PDB file of all heavy atoms in Angstrom:
ATOM      1  N   GLY A   1     147.212  82.382 142.863  1.00  0.00           N
ATOM      2  CA  GLY A   1     148.633  82.046 142.912  1.00  0.00           C
ATOM      3  C   GLY A   1     149.027  81.397 144.225  1.00  0.00           C
ATOM      4  O   GLY A   1     149.915  80.537 144.266  1.00  0.00           O
ATOM      5  N   ASP A   2     148.364  81.795 145.309  1.00  0.00           N
ATOM      6  CA  ASP A   2     148.666  81.225 146.624  1.00  0.00           C
ATOM      7  C   ASP A   2     148.347  79.735 146.661  1.00  0.00           C
ATOM      8  O   ASP A   2     149.146  78.929 147.133  1.00  0.00           O
ATOM      9  CB  ASP A   2     147.861  81.966 147.692  1.00  0.00           C
ATOM     10  CG  ASP A   2     148.032  81.368 149.073  1.00  0.00           C
ATOM     11  OD1 ASP A   2     149.119  81.526 149.652  1.00  0.00           O
ATOM     12  OD2 ASP A   2     147.079  80.734 149.567  1.00  0.00           O
ATOM     13  N   SER A   3     147.181  79.346 146.152  1.00  0.00           N
ATOM     14  CA  SER A   3     146.800  77.932 146.194  1.00  0.00           C
ATOM     15  C   SER A   3     147.631  77.102 145.219  1.00  0.00           C
ATOM     16  O   SER A   3     147.934  75.933 145.497  1.00  0.00           O
ATOM     17  CB  SER A   3     145.307  77.768 145.901  1.00  0.00           C
ATOM     18  OG  SER A   3     144.953  78.382 144.688  1.00  0.00           O
ATOM     19  N   ARG A   4     148.001  77.679 144.077  1.00  0.00           N
ATOM     20  CA  ARG A   4     148.853  76.940 143.124  1.00  0.00           C
ATOM     21  C   ARG A   4     150.246  76.739 143.715  1.00  0.00           C
ATOM     22  O   ARG A   4     150.846  75.673 143.576  1.00  0.00           O
ATOM     23  CB  ARG A   4     148.944  77.676 141.780  1.00  0.00           C
ATOM     24  CG  ARG A   4     147.829  77.325 140.807  1.00  0.00           C
ATOM     25  CD  ARG A   4     146.500  77.860 141.247  1.00  0.00           C
ATOM     26  NE  ARG A   4     145.386  77.392 140.430  1.00  0.00           N
ATOM     27  CZ  ARG A   4     144.113  77.554 140.778  1.00  0.00           C
ATOM     28  NH1 ARG A   4     143.793  78.169 141.904  1.00  0.00           N
ATOM     29  NH2 ARG A   4     143.151  77.097 140.017  1.00  0.00           N
ATOM     30  N   TRP A   5     150.753  77.785 144.365  1.00  0.00           N
ATOM     31  CA  TRP A   5     152.031  77.640 145.073  1.00  0.00           C
ATOM     32  C   TRP A   5     151.947  76.504 146.088  1.00  0.00           C
ATOM     33  O   TRP A   5     152.849  75.671 146.188  1.00  0.00           O
ATOM     34  CB  TRP A   5     152.357  78.963 145.783  1.00  0.00           C
ATOM     35  CG  TRP A   5     153.298  78.800 146.916  1.00  0.00           C
ATOM     36  CD1 TRP A   5     154.660  78.734 146.854  1.00  0.00           C
ATOM     37  CD2 TRP A   5     152.957  78.622 148.298  1.00  0.00           C
ATOM     38  NE1 TRP A   5     155.180  78.535 148.111  1.00  0.00           N
ATOM     39  CE2 TRP A   5     154.166  78.462 149.014  1.00  0.00           C
ATOM     40  CE3 TRP A   5     151.747  78.596 149.008  1.00  0.00           C
ATOM     41  CZ2 TRP A   5     154.193  78.270 150.387  1.00  0.00           C
ATOM     42  CZ3 TRP A   5     151.776  78.404 150.373  1.00  0.00           C
ATOM     43  CH2 TRP A   5     152.982  78.247 151.054  1.00  0.00           C
ATOM     44  N   HIS A   6     150.843  76.484 146.821  1.00  0.00           N
ATOM     45  CA  HIS A   6     150.690  75.520 147.897  1.00  0.00           C
ATOM     46  C   HIS A   6     150.636  74.088 147.379  1.00  0.00           C
ATOM     47  O   HIS A   6     151.394  73.222 147.825  1.00  0.00           O
ATOM     48  CB  HIS A   6     149.416  75.838 148.685  1.00  0.00           C
ATOM     49  CG  HIS A   6     149.105  74.856 149.754  1.00  0.00           C
ATOM     50  ND1 HIS A   6     148.243  73.809 149.552  1.00  0.00           N
ATOM     51  CD2 HIS A   6     149.545  74.749 151.026  1.00  0.00           C
ATOM     52  CE1 HIS A   6     148.173  73.089 150.658  1.00  0.00           C
ATOM     53  NE2 HIS A   6     148.939  73.630 151.576  1.00  0.00           N
ATOM     54  N   GLU A   7     149.742  73.821 146.437  1.00  0.00           N
ATOM     55  CA  GLU A   7     149.557  72.451 145.969  1.00  0.00           C
ATOM     56  C   GLU A   7     150.772  71.936 145.209  1.00  0.00           C
ATOM     57  O   GLU A   7     151.196  70.796 145.403  1.00  0.00           O
ATOM     58  CB  GLU A   7     148.307  72.364 145.088  1.00  0.00           C
ATOM     59  CG  GLU A   7     147.027  72.220 145.871  1.00  0.00           C
ATOM     60  CD  GLU A   7     147.057  70.969 146.750  1.00  0.00           C
ATOM     61  OE1 GLU A   7     146.873  69.858 146.228  1.00  0.00           O
ATOM     62  OE2 GLU A   7     147.290  71.119 147.959  1.00  0.00           O
ATOM     63  N   CYS A   8     151.322  72.763 144.340  1.00  0.00           N
ATOM     64  CA  CYS A   8     152.488  72.309 143.578  1.00  0.00           C
ATOM     65  C   CYS A   8     153.718  72.214 144.472  1.00  0.00           C
ATOM     66  O   CYS A   8     154.633  71.433 144.195  1.00  0.00           O
ATOM     67  CB  CYS A   8     152.737  73.237 142.392  1.00  0.00           C
ATOM     68  SG  CYS A   8     151.428  73.130 141.141  1.00  0.00           S
ATOM     69  N   GLY A   9     153.744  72.980 145.556  1.00  0.00           N
ATOM     70  CA  GLY A   9     154.817  72.830 146.533  1.00  0.00           C
ATOM     71  C   GLY A   9     154.774  71.471 147.209  1.00  0.00           C
ATOM     72  O   GLY A   9     155.817  70.904 147.546  1.00  0.00           O
ATOM     73  N   HIS A  10     153.583  70.948 147.407  1.00  0.00           N
ATOM     74  CA  HIS A  10     153.445  69.594 147.947  1.00  0.00           C
ATOM     75  C   HIS A  10     153.797  68.532 146.902  1.00  0.00           C
ATOM     76  O   HIS A  10     154.013  67.374 147.256  1.00  0.00           O
ATOM     77  CB  HIS A  10     152.008  69.360 148.421  1.00  0.00           C
ATOM     78  CG  HIS A  10     151.733  69.861 149.794  1.00  0.00           C
ATOM     79  ND1 HIS A  10     152.109  69.190 150.921  1.00  0.00           N
ATOM     80  CD2 HIS A  10     151.119  71.000 150.224  1.00  0.00           C
ATOM     81  CE1 HIS A  10     151.734  69.863 152.002  1.00  0.00           C
ATOM     82  NE2 HIS A  10     151.126  70.975 151.604  1.00  0.00           N
ATOM     83  N   GLY A  11     153.825  68.931 145.627  1.00  0.00           N
ATOM     84  CA  GLY A  11     154.130  67.977 144.569  1.00  0.00           C
ATOM     85  C   GLY A  11     153.000  67.025 144.255  1.00  0.00           C
ATOM     86  O   GLY A  11     153.221  65.944 143.690  1.00  0.00           O
ATOM     87  N   THR A  12     151.757  67.409 144.607  1.00  0.00           N
ATOM     88  CA  THR A  12     150.625  66.503 144.433  1.00  0.00           C
ATOM     89  C   THR A  12     149.684  66.902 143.300  1.00  0.00           C
ATOM     90  O   THR A  12     148.842  66.104 142.899  1.00  0.00           O
ATOM     91  CB  THR A  12     149.806  66.429 145.735  1.00  0.00           C
ATOM     92  OG1 THR A  12     149.385  67.749 146.097  1.00  0.00           O
ATOM     93  CG2 THR A  12     150.625  65.835 146.853  1.00  0.00           C
ATOM     94  N   ALA A  13     149.781  68.148 142.821  1.00  0.00           N
ATOM     95  CA  ALA A  13     148.821  68.602 141.810  1.00  0.00           C
ATOM     96  C   ALA A  13     148.953  67.789 140.527  1.00  0.00           C
ATOM     97  O   ALA A  13     147.963  67.325 139.962  1.00  0.00           O
ATOM     98  CB  ALA A  13     149.026  70.088 141.527  1.00  0.00           C
ATOM     99  N   PHE A  14     150.181  67.627 140.054  1.00  0.00           N
ATOM    100  CA  PHE A  14     150.472  66.854 138.844  1.00  0.00           C
ATOM    101  C   PHE A  14     151.200  65.566 139.224  1.00  0.00           C
ATOM    102  O   PHE A  14     151.884  65.502 140.244  1.00  0.00           O
ATOM    103  CB  PHE A  14     151.384  67.653 137.903  1.00  0.00           C
ATOM    104  CG  PHE A  14     150.819  68.956 137.411  1.00  0.00           C
ATOM    105  CD1 PHE A  14     150.997  70.118 138.158  1.00  0.00           C
ATOM    106  CD2 PHE A  14     150.141  69.036 136.206  1.00  0.00           C
ATOM    107  CE1 PHE A  14     150.498  71.331 137.703  1.00  0.00           C
ATOM    108  CE2 PHE A  14     149.642  70.243 135.746  1.00  0.00           C
ATOM    109  CZ  PHE A  14     149.824  71.401 136.500  1.00  0.00           C
ATOM    110  N   LYS A  15     151.086  64.584 138.379  1.00  0.00           N
ATOM    111  CA  LYS A  15     151.881  63.371 138.546  1.00  0.00           C
ATOM    112  C   LYS A  15     153.312  63.604 138.064  1.00  0.00           C
ATOM    113  O   LYS A  15     154.269  63.086 138.643  1.00  0.00           O
ATOM    114  CB  LYS A  15     151.249  62.210 137.753  1.00  0.00           C
ATOM    115  CG  LYS A  15     152.010  60.899 137.859  1.00  0.00           C
ATOM    116  CD  LYS A  15     151.316  59.800 137.065  1.00  0.00           C
ATOM    117  CE  LYS A  15     152.093  58.493 137.167  1.00  0.00           C
ATOM    118  NZ  LYS A  15     151.424  57.406 136.397  1.00  0.00           N
ATOM    119  N   THR A  16     153.462  64.416 136.995  1.00  0.00           N
ATOM    120  CA  THR A  16     154.776  64.679 136.401  1.00  0.00           C
ATOM    121  C   THR A  16     155.518  65.734 137.216  1.00  0.00           C
ATOM    122  O   THR A  16     155.037  66.868 137.345  1.00  0.00           O
ATOM    123  CB  THR A  16     154.614  65.160 134.950  1.00  0.00           C
ATOM    124  OG1 THR A  16     153.846  64.182 134.226  1.00  0.00           O
ATOM    125  CG2 THR A  16     155.956  65.357 134.292  1.00  0.00           C
ATOM    126  N   PRO A  17     156.686  65.415 137.779  1.00  0.00           N
ATOM    127  CA  PRO A  17     157.380  66.340 138.689  1.00  0.00           C
ATOM    128  C   PRO A  17     157.686  67.704 138.083  1.00  0.00           C
ATOM    129  O   PRO A  17     157.534  68.737 138.751  1.00  0.00           O
ATOM    130  CB  PRO A  17     158.662  65.586 139.053  1.00  0.00           C
ATOM    131  CG  PRO A  17     158.301  64.141 138.910  1.00  0.00           C
ATOM    132  CD  PRO A  17     157.362  64.093 137.743  1.00  0.00           C
ATOM    133  N   TRP A  18     158.114  67.746 136.801  1.00  0.00           N
ATOM    134  CA  TRP A  18     158.510  69.035 136.250  1.00  0.00           C
ATOM    135  C   TRP A  18     157.304  69.966 136.089  1.00  0.00           C
ATOM    136  O   TRP A  18     157.451  71.196 136.158  1.00  0.00           O
ATOM    137  CB  TRP A  18     159.254  68.875 134.922  1.00  0.00           C
ATOM    138  CG  TRP A  18     158.444  68.404 133.737  1.00  0.00           C
ATOM    139  CD1 TRP A  18     158.357  67.133 133.266  1.00  0.00           C
ATOM    140  CD2 TRP A  18     157.633  69.217 132.873  1.00  0.00           C
ATOM    141  NE1 TRP A  18     157.540  67.091 132.160  1.00  0.00           N
ATOM    142  CE2 TRP A  18     157.084  68.359 131.896  1.00  0.00           C
ATOM    143  CE3 TRP A  18     157.315  70.573 132.836  1.00  0.00           C
ATOM    144  CZ2 TRP A  18     156.235  68.815 130.886  1.00  0.00           C
ATOM    145  CZ3 TRP A  18     156.472  71.032 131.824  1.00  0.00           C
ATOM    146  CH2 TRP A  18     155.935  70.162 130.874  1.00  0.00           C
ATOM    147  N   MET A  19     156.120  69.406 135.897  1.00  0.00           N
ATOM    148  CA  MET A  19     154.926  70.248 135.812  1.00  0.00           C
ATOM    149  C   MET A  19     154.652  70.921 137.154  1.00  0.00           C
ATOM    150  O   MET A  19     154.335  72.112 137.218  1.00  0.00           O
ATOM    151  CB  MET A  19     153.717  69.412 135.381  1.00  0.00           C
ATOM    152  CG  MET A  19     153.803  68.878 133.967  1.00  0.00           C
ATOM    153  SD  MET A  19     152.291  67.962 133.513  1.00  0.00           S
ATOM    154  CE  MET A  19     152.718  67.423 131.858  1.00  0.00           C
ATOM    155  N   ASN A  20     154.758  70.147 138.239  1.00  0.00           N
ATOM    156  CA  ASN A  20     154.636  70.742 139.564  1.00  0.00           C
ATOM    157  C   ASN A  20     155.670  71.838 139.766  1.00  0.00           C
ATOM    158  O   ASN A  20     155.359  72.908 140.293  1.00  0.00           O
ATOM    159  CB  ASN A  20     154.819  69.676 140.650  1.00  0.00           C
ATOM    160  CG  ASN A  20     153.578  68.839 140.875  1.00  0.00           C
ATOM    161  OD1 ASN A  20     152.493  69.351 141.094  1.00  0.00           O
ATOM    162  ND2 ASN A  20     153.747  67.523 140.813  1.00  0.00           N
ATOM    163  N   ALA A  21     156.914  71.581 139.339  1.00  0.00           N
ATOM    164  CA  ALA A  21     157.995  72.541 139.556  1.00  0.00           C
ATOM    165  C   ALA A  21     157.758  73.840 138.799  1.00  0.00           C
ATOM    166  O   ALA A  21     157.990  74.935 139.328  1.00  0.00           O
ATOM    167  CB  ALA A  21     159.332  71.914 139.145  1.00  0.00           C
ATOM    168  N   VAL A  22     157.291  73.728 137.548  1.00  0.00           N
ATOM    169  CA  VAL A  22     157.060  74.926 136.737  1.00  0.00           C
ATOM    170  C   VAL A  22     155.973  75.801 137.352  1.00  0.00           C
ATOM    171  O   VAL A  22     156.147  77.011 137.563  1.00  0.00           O
ATOM    172  CB  VAL A  22     156.693  74.547 135.283  1.00  0.00           C
ATOM    173  CG1 VAL A  22     156.173  75.764 134.519  1.00  0.00           C
ATOM    174  CG2 VAL A  22     157.916  73.973 134.566  1.00  0.00           C
ATOM    175  N   VAL A  23     154.812  75.204 137.665  1.00  0.00           N
ATOM    176  CA  VAL A  23     153.709  75.984 138.228  1.00  0.00           C
ATOM    177  C   VAL A  23     154.081  76.507 139.612  1.00  0.00           C
ATOM    178  O   VAL A  23     153.741  77.642 139.969  1.00  0.00           O
ATOM    179  CB  VAL A  23     152.422  75.139 138.280  1.00  0.00           C
ATOM    180  CG1 VAL A  23     151.292  75.900 138.979  1.00  0.00           C
ATOM    181  CG2 VAL A  23     151.993  74.747 136.870  1.00  0.00           C
ATOM    182  N   TYR A  24     154.811  75.706 140.389  1.00  0.00           N
ATOM    183  CA  TYR A  24     155.228  76.140 141.725  1.00  0.00           C
ATOM    184  C   TYR A  24     156.111  77.383 141.649  1.00  0.00           C
ATOM    185  O   TYR A  24     155.914  78.342 142.407  1.00  0.00           O
ATOM    186  CB  TYR A  24     155.979  75.014 142.438  1.00  0.00           C
ATOM    187  CG  TYR A  24     156.560  75.429 143.770  1.00  0.00           C
ATOM    188  CD1 TYR A  24     155.726  75.654 144.871  1.00  0.00           C
ATOM    189  CD2 TYR A  24     157.930  75.604 143.931  1.00  0.00           C
ATOM    190  CE1 TYR A  24     156.251  76.035 146.094  1.00  0.00           C
ATOM    191  CE2 TYR A  24     158.463  75.993 145.149  1.00  0.00           C
ATOM    192  CZ  TYR A  24     157.620  76.212 146.225  1.00  0.00           C
ATOM    193  OH  TYR A  24     158.141  76.603 147.448  1.00  0.00           O
ATOM    194  N   ASN A  25     157.063  77.388 140.737  1.00  0.00           N
ATOM    195  CA  ASN A  25     157.973  78.535 140.642  1.00  0.00           C
ATOM    196  C   ASN A  25     157.272  79.774 140.093  1.00  0.00           C
ATOM    197  O   ASN A  25     157.540  80.893 140.547  1.00  0.00           O
ATOM    198  CB  ASN A  25     159.190  78.172 139.796  1.00  0.00           C
ATOM    199  CG  ASN A  25     160.242  77.426 140.590  1.00  0.00           C
ATOM    200  OD1 ASN A  25     161.051  78.012 141.287  1.00  0.00           O
ATOM    201  ND2 ASN A  25     160.234  76.101 140.487  1.00  0.00           N
ATOM    202  N   ILE A  26     156.375  79.597 139.129  1.00  0.00           N
ATOM    203  CA  ILE A  26     155.612  80.748 138.622  1.00  0.00           C
ATOM    204  C   ILE A  26     154.753  81.337 139.732  1.00  0.00           C
ATOM    205  O   ILE A  26     154.714  82.551 139.951  1.00  0.00           O
ATOM    206  CB  ILE A  26     154.745  80.341 137.416  1.00  0.00           C
ATOM    207  CG1 ILE A  26     155.627  79.968 136.222  1.00  0.00           C
ATOM    208  CG2 ILE A  26     153.798  81.472 137.033  1.00  0.00           C
ATOM    209  CD1 ILE A  26     154.849  79.379 135.049  1.00  0.00           C
ATOM    210  N   ALA A  27     154.059  80.468 140.465  1.00  0.00           N
ATOM    211  CA  ALA A  27     153.196  80.928 141.553  1.00  0.00           C
ATOM    212  C   ALA A  27     154.013  81.562 142.676  1.00  0.00           C
ATOM    213  O   ALA A  27     153.581  82.551 143.283  1.00  0.00           O
ATOM    214  CB  ALA A  27     152.370  79.770 142.094  1.00  0.00           C
ATOM    215  N   SER A  28     155.189  81.025 142.966  1.00  0.00           N
ATOM    216  CA  SER A  28     156.051  81.612 143.992  1.00  0.00           C
ATOM    217  C   SER A  28     156.446  83.034 143.611  1.00  0.00           C
ATOM    218  O   SER A  28     156.442  83.945 144.453  1.00  0.00           O
ATOM    219  CB  SER A  28     157.306  80.761 144.188  1.00  0.00           C
ATOM    220  OG  SER A  28     156.990  79.482 144.678  1.00  0.00           O
ATOM    221  N   PHE A  29     156.778  83.228 142.341  1.00  0.00           N
ATOM    222  CA  PHE A  29     157.113  84.582 141.877  1.00  0.00           C
ATOM    223  C   PHE A  29     155.913  85.509 142.009  1.00  0.00           C
ATOM    224  O   PHE A  29     156.039  86.641 142.492  1.00  0.00           O
ATOM    225  CB  PHE A  29     157.568  84.526 140.417  1.00  0.00           C
ATOM    226  CG  PHE A  29     157.698  85.888 139.797  1.00  0.00           C
ATOM    227  CD1 PHE A  29     158.789  86.694 140.071  1.00  0.00           C
ATOM    228  CD2 PHE A  29     156.712  86.371 138.952  1.00  0.00           C
ATOM    229  CE1 PHE A  29     158.900  87.962 139.523  1.00  0.00           C
ATOM    230  CE2 PHE A  29     156.805  87.640 138.391  1.00  0.00           C
ATOM    231  CZ  PHE A  29     157.902  88.436 138.681  1.00  0.00           C
ATOM    232  N   MET A  30     154.744  85.047 141.583  1.00  0.00           N
ATOM    233  CA  MET A  30     153.540  85.869 141.661  1.00  0.00           C
ATOM    234  C   MET A  30     153.242  86.285 143.098  1.00  0.00           C
ATOM    235  O   MET A  30     152.815  87.421 143.352  1.00  0.00           O
ATOM    236  CB  MET A  30     152.345  85.109 141.071  1.00  0.00           C
ATOM    237  CG  MET A  30     152.418  84.916 139.562  1.00  0.00           C
ATOM    238  SD  MET A  30     151.321  83.598 138.963  1.00  0.00           S
ATOM    239  CE  MET A  30     149.720  84.161 139.507  1.00  0.00           C
ATOM    240  N   MET A  31     153.475  85.385 144.057  1.00  0.00           N
ATOM    241  CA  MET A  31     153.170  85.666 145.458  1.00  0.00           C
ATOM    242  C   MET A  31     154.342  86.298 146.194  1.00  0.00           C
ATOM    243  O   MET A  31     154.268  86.532 147.399  1.00  0.00           O
ATOM    244  CB  MET A  31     152.757  84.368 146.164  1.00  0.00           C
ATOM    245  CG  MET A  31     151.519  83.709 145.588  1.00  0.00           C
ATOM    246  SD  MET A  31     150.086  84.805 145.519  1.00  0.00           S
ATOM    247  CE  MET A  31     149.796  85.128 147.262  1.00  0.00           C
ATOM    248  N   MET A  32     155.436  86.596 145.472  1.00  0.00           N
ATOM    249  CA  MET A  32     156.642  87.202 146.060  1.00  0.00           C
ATOM    250  C   MET A  32     157.210  86.319 147.169  1.00  0.00           C
ATOM    251  O   MET A  32     157.630  86.803 148.232  1.00  0.00           O
ATOM    252  CB  MET A  32     156.359  88.605 146.602  1.00  0.00           C
ATOM    253  CG  MET A  32     155.954  89.607 145.551  1.00  0.00           C
ATOM    254  SD  MET A  32     155.747  91.254 146.267  1.00  0.00           S
ATOM    255  CE  MET A  32     155.336  92.214 144.801  1.00  0.00           C
ATOM    256  N   ARG A  33     157.210  85.028 146.940  1.00  0.00           N
ATOM    257  CA  ARG A  33     157.727  84.076 147.918  1.00  0.00           C
ATOM    258  C   ARG A  33     158.930  83.353 147.343  1.00  0.00           C
ATOM    259  O   ARG A  33     158.873  82.849 146.226  1.00  0.00           O
ATOM    260  CB  ARG A  33     156.652  83.061 148.296  1.00  0.00           C
ATOM    261  CG  ARG A  33     155.480  83.668 149.014  1.00  0.00           C
ATOM    262  CD  ARG A  33     154.354  82.690 149.192  1.00  0.00           C
ATOM    263  NE  ARG A  33     153.216  83.321 149.853  1.00  0.00           N
ATOM    264  CZ  ARG A  33     152.006  82.798 149.937  1.00  0.00           C
ATOM    265  NH1 ARG A  33     151.781  81.599 149.395  1.00  0.00           N
ATOM    266  NH2 ARG A  33     151.039  83.429 150.547  1.00  0.00           N
ATOM    267  N   ASN A  34     159.981  83.289 148.100  1.00  0.00           N
ATOM    268  CA  ASN A  34     161.149  82.548 147.651  1.00  0.00           C
ATOM    269  C   ASN A  34     160.786  81.066 147.599  1.00  0.00           C
ATOM    270  O   ASN A  34     160.395  80.467 148.606  1.00  0.00           O
ATOM    271  CB  ASN A  34     162.317  82.772 148.607  1.00  0.00           C
ATOM    272  CG  ASN A  34     163.616  82.231 148.050  1.00  0.00           C
ATOM    273  OD1 ASN A  34     163.797  81.019 147.936  1.00  0.00           O
ATOM    274  ND2 ASN A  34     164.521  83.120 147.695  1.00  0.00           N
ATOM    275  N   ALA A  35     160.901  80.476 146.432  1.00  0.00           N
ATOM    276  CA  ALA A  35     160.438  79.097 146.221  1.00  0.00           C
ATOM    277  C   ALA A  35     161.168  78.097 147.106  1.00  0.00           C
ATOM    278  O   ALA A  35     160.590  77.069 147.490  1.00  0.00           O
ATOM    279  CB  ALA A  35     160.603  78.719 144.745  1.00  0.00           C
ATOM    280  N   VAL A  36     162.427  78.378 147.446  1.00  0.00           N
ATOM    281  CA  VAL A  36     163.192  77.465 148.301  1.00  0.00           C
ATOM    282  C   VAL A  36     162.780  77.635 149.757  1.00  0.00           C
ATOM    283  O   VAL A  36     162.417  76.677 150.445  1.00  0.00           O
ATOM    284  CB  VAL A  36     164.710  77.717 148.137  1.00  0.00           C
ATOM    285  CG1 VAL A  36     165.491  76.784 149.051  1.00  0.00           C
ATOM    286  CG2 VAL A  36     165.129  77.528 146.694  1.00  0.00           C
ATOM    287  N   THR A  37     162.786  78.876 150.218  1.00  0.00           N
ATOM    288  CA  THR A  37     162.464  79.148 151.628  1.00  0.00           C
ATOM    289  C   THR A  37     161.081  78.669 151.994  1.00  0.00           C
ATOM    290  O   THR A  37     160.877  78.000 153.018  1.00  0.00           O
ATOM    291  CB  THR A  37     162.552  80.662 151.901  1.00  0.00           C
ATOM    292  OG1 THR A  37     163.872  81.116 151.596  1.00  0.00           O
ATOM    293  CG2 THR A  37     162.225  80.967 153.345  1.00  0.00           C
ATOM    294  N   TRP A  38     160.101  78.989 151.149  1.00  0.00           N
ATOM    295  CA  TRP A  38     158.726  78.690 151.510  1.00  0.00           C
ATOM    296  C   TRP A  38     158.413  77.202 151.456  1.00  0.00           C
ATOM    297  O   TRP A  38     157.508  76.733 152.136  1.00  0.00           O
ATOM    298  CB  TRP A  38     157.766  79.496 150.628  1.00  0.00           C
ATOM    299  CG  TRP A  38     157.621  80.887 151.143  1.00  0.00           C
ATOM    300  CD1 TRP A  38     158.541  81.888 151.087  1.00  0.00           C
ATOM    301  CD2 TRP A  38     156.493  81.428 151.855  1.00  0.00           C
ATOM    302  NE1 TRP A  38     158.059  83.021 151.697  1.00  0.00           N
ATOM    303  CE2 TRP A  38     156.807  82.767 152.170  1.00  0.00           C
ATOM    304  CE3 TRP A  38     155.267  80.921 152.219  1.00  0.00           C
ATOM    305  CZ2 TRP A  38     155.926  83.595 152.855  1.00  0.00           C
ATOM    306  CZ3 TRP A  38     154.382  81.742 152.903  1.00  0.00           C
ATOM    307  CH2 TRP A  38     154.719  83.066 153.219  1.00  0.00           C
TER     308      TRP A  38
END
């Protein structure tokens, strides 16, 4: 979850923005990290 949060936070894992956003928010929840703050 940490690495998925990281890569999708950069917006580089997927070309499609909403895919990055979905995985980023799921991973942020899993890692107990506020998606905005982090």
Side-chain angles (χ1 to χ4, degrees):
D2 176 72
S3 54
R4 273 70 188 168
W5 158 83
H6 176 265
E7 277 301 283
C8 292
H10 276 281
T12 57
F14 299 88
K15 180 179 180 180
T16 305
W18 69 262
M19 293 183 182
N20 281 307
V22 168
V23 175
Y24 174 72
N25 278 277
I26 293 172
S28 296
F29 170 77
M30 291 162 59
M31 299 305 296
M32 296 184 178
R33 295 172 182 167
N34 190 291
V36 179
T37 301
W38 279 72

